[in-house]
Amino acid sequence: MPPQVLLVDDSDFMRNLLREILEENFEIVGEAENGVEAVELYREHDPDLVMMDIVMPIRDGIEATSEITGGDPDANVIMCTSVGQEEKMKNAVKAGADGYITKPFQKPNVLEAIDDVVA
């Protein structure tokens, strides 16, 4: 069975891009537009991996990651970050993120980051 992934990004475009990169090797179990939805869908599906955007409305990716890893210390979360968000990345790691990818996404980088975390 392929690993199950939850995609979290407030941009449809970014979620579509990630889905195209991942759907060949992973099962996409849900998509969320903000951190509140992300936590709800995580609890519902218990995916193997979360691809989490940092900057989102309502609740950002750092808060959502903190809540997910607080409830499930074994959660695998990869942050999706833009160039220049190093400070936020440090906070994300403190919140329990396992790795990160930088936009714009390139398929090899995404798959490499996932291999590092899920392997």
Side-chain angles (χ1 to χ4, degrees):
M1 207 171 106
Q4 298 185 322
V5 182
L6 173 62
L7 302 181
V8 186
D9 200 306
D10 56 329
S11 154
D12 282 346
F13 175 78
M14 286 298 172
R15 290 199 315 274
N16 288 340
L17 195 62
L18 277 173
R19 191 181 323 110
E20 281 172 20
I21 290 173
L22 298 176
E23 63 191 353
E24 198 178 313
N25 302 315
F26 299 86
E27 181 190 347
I28 311 296
V29 291
E31 295 187 23
E33 295 185 356
N34 60 61
V36 174
E37 287 178 11
V39 173
E40 285 170 5
L41 285 171
Y42 187 88
R43 288 183 180 141
E44 194 179 316
H45 296 287
D46 191 26
D48 300 299
L49 178 66
V50 183
M51 303 300 286
M52 179 84 74
D53 188 26
I54 289 188
V55 181
M56 294 181 292
I58 307 176
R59 172 176 278 170
D60 70 19
I62 294 170
E63 290 172 1
T65 297
S66 183
E67 189 165 338
I68 286 170
T69 56
D72 179 4
D74 298 326
N76 293 311
V77 182
I78 294 180
M79 306 306 289
C80 306
T81 165
S82 302
V83 173
Q85 292 184 339
E86 285 76 13
E87 202 50 49
K88 288 191 174 114
M89 240 354 278
K90 285 180 199 155
N91 293 335
V93 170
K94 280 185 201 145
D98 300 285
Y100 69 95
I101 52 175
T102 308
K103 300 171 184 178
F105 304 133
Q106 305 288 332
K107 186 169 185 172
N109 308 14
V110 174
L111 296 178
E112 190 180 317
I114 291 173
D115 279 347
D116 286 349
V117 168
V118 179

